[in-house]
Amino acid sequence: QVQFVESGGGLVQPGGSLRLSCAINESIFTFYAMGWDRQAPGKQREQVAFITNGGTPNYVDSVKGRFTISRDTDKNTQYLQMNNLKPEDTAVYYCRTYGTYTYWGHGTQITVTA
């Protein structure tokens, strides 16, 4: 069972920045990719970004140019740097793995409001 330690959520004003962190208890190379999903109130969960085993990042169009996914392979940790945050980014953000089985962390709340 993969265990996640997520941190970095919070309340921020529009235009602000936050960085999410997600550490797991095994090598990130166990999985095809690591990423972040989010779920806003009343909406379906959506994929926000993921980074492949080879280090290639991918983003949903709505966050391109604003969010950056990265990782520290020595620490088995991934990050999501979120800049120029907008109210529509408000959601619970979930760290996840990609592979034969998908695992999600417990999630961390991001609220963007004036």
Side-chain angles (χ1 to χ4, degrees), residues 1-6 22 36 45 92-96 103-109:
Q1 183 73 25
V2 179
Q3 296 178 3
F4 297 82
V5 178
E6 298 165 298
C22 172
W36 297 89
R45 191 174 295 192
V92 178
Y93 285 69
Y94 299 89
C95 181
R96 66 166 290 176
Y103 300 98
W104 283 275
H106 294 296
T108 183
Q109 176 71 46

Side-chain angles (χ1 to χ4, degrees), residues 22-66:
C22 172
I24 63 173
N25 64 333
E26 57 186 273
S27 172
I28 62 176
F29 293 114
T30 302
F31 309 101
Y32 301 149
M34 294 280 298
W36 297 89
D37 290 355
R38 68 185 178 187
Q39 187 164 19
K43 295 187 177 181
Q44 289 188 328
R45 191 174 295 192
E46 67 169 345
Q47 295 182 45
V48 176
F50 66 90
I51 185 164
T52 68
N53 226 346
T56 301
N58 295 269
Y59 304 94
V60 67
D61 286 346
S62 60
V63 308
K64 284 181 180 177
R66 301 189 297 122

